[in-house]
Amino acid sequence: MSTLALAVRDSSTMLRRNLLHARRYPSLTLNLLLTPIMLLLLFVYIFGDAMSAGLGDGGGDRSAYIAYIVPGLLLMTIGSTTIGTAVSVSNDMTEGIIARFRTMAIHRGSVLIGHVIGSVLQSVASVVLVGAVGVAIGFRSTDATALEWLAAFGLLVLFALALTWIAVGMGLVSPNAEAASNNAMPLILLPLLSSAFVPVEGMPGWFQPIAEYQPFTPAIETLRGLLLGTEIGHHGWLAVAWCLGLAVLGYFWSAARFGQDPK
């Protein structure tokens, strides 16, 4: 069997293993998924009327704020889901299963590939669920073309892939599952410091560059542009650059850490 065929076979096996784990122990995924759903309902129904007043010409009512907040919550959902990946990888590293895998005739990288593909699939499913909640409470994207919807889906998958590789690296360097969860917490905190909930222009002047050029804001503004027809500007290439950069960084970080001999 060729090296490529072996890698595909073993990666498929590891993917099935991770999906079975997610199905048997859904509590972690559900707990992480509840955070963006609760924030969506909280900001729409409790703060929606007040927050919409700060949206400028497009603001003034709750429906405008639903349209504004949903793209940010979709990306926040991806960040929440990948925290579970960091915890899962850390569990594998600390519970001895990786040591057993190292003694078996399997493709070494298949363990990480199974985690990554499984996490991306879970992220997409989570985004669909949160998106369905958004549609149920009034989110609409009537002006987006089929090509724009496809581009939005591609951006979400690329963003999920990038954050997943970072989460895998965090899980590999964490001594236990609790530390992995804490190390990955910026993946859910960064959206709070982005344009997910309020425009960057409404933030303090000294903080605006931080909010504008961190990974989430360009992706959020690009997703808004694709789904709602707002101006994308320089955010499109910034979002792609962040995704590719984080994916490459996470991949090499994870590969280097996983390749080290266990102590």
Side-chain angles (χ1 to χ4, degrees):
M1 183 178 292
S2 68
T3 302
L4 178 59
L6 180 65
V8 172
R9 185 200 68 182
D10 293 341
S11 297
S12 300
T13 301
M14 293 300 169
L15 172 60
R16 288 196 298 272
R17 169 182 175 266
N18 288 298
L19 292 178
L20 284 173
H21 279 188
R23 189 180 70 180
R24 291 173 181 171
Y25 307 102
S27 58
L28 176 61
T29 301
L30 290 176
N31 287 337
L32 295 171
L33 186 60
L34 284 176
T35 300
I37 291 179
M38 292 302 296
L39 285 175
L40 174 61
L41 298 177
L42 175 68
F43 274 85
V44 168
Y45 289 108
I46 304 300
F47 305 130
D49 290 336
M51 299 291 283
S52 65
L55 297 183
D57 294 337
D61 56 52
R62 183 177 296 169
S63 61
Y65 194 63
I66 293 175
Y68 183 86
I69 198 176
V70 165
L73 264 296
L74 294 180
L75 291 169
M76 188 176 186
T77 300
I78 294 175
S80 299
T81 306
T82 54
I83 293 179
T85 304
V87 173
S88 179
V89 170
S90 180
N91 281 332
D92 278 356
M93 295 299 294
T94 56
E95 292 180 354
I97 189 65
I98 297 299
R100 181 176 298 179
F101 285 153
R102 292 181 191 274
T103 65
M104 299 171 64
I106 64 174
H107 189 270
R108 193 163 187 173
S110 63
V111 178
L112 297 186
I113 294 173
H115 275 292
V116 169
I117 298 177
S119 177
V120 171
L121 292 177
Q122 291 180 62
S123 294
V124 171
S126 300
V127 164
V128 170
L129 179 57
V130 174
V133 174
V135 170
I137 64 175
F139 176 77
R140 297 293 183 269
S141 176
T142 56
D143 296 330
T145 65
L147 185 60
E148 288 172 330
W149 273 104
L150 184 61
F153 179 77
L155 175 63
L156 290 169
V157 172
L158 184 60
F159 200 78
L161 180 64
L163 292 193
T164 296
W165 274 116
I166 294 296
V168 168
M170 290 176 174
L172 289 171
V173 301
S174 301
N176 51 56
E178 291 78 9
S181 179
N182 292 334
N183 289 338
M185 195 56 64
L187 299 180
I188 198 173
L189 293 180
L190 274 177
L192 301 176
L193 307 177
S194 71
S195 64
F197 300 99
V198 295
V200 173
E201 294 77 12
M203 299 178 182
W206 62 269
F207 188 77
Q208 290 182 14
I210 300 174
E212 184 172 359
Y213 294 106
Q214 58 129 310
F216 278 88
T217 294
I220 291 170
E221 294 301 328
T222 302
L223 193 60
R224 285 193 183 116
L226 293 171
L227 297 181
L228 304 174
T230 59
E231 182 67 30
I232 294 178
H234 64 280
H235 294 295
W237 67 264
L238 273 178
V240 174
W242 267 116
C243 289
L244 295 178
L246 290 175
V248 171
L249 174 64
Y251 168 78
F252 283 107
W253 180 27
S254 301
R257 184 69 182 183
F258 188 72
Q260 294 178 359
D261 292 328
K263 296 180 181 181

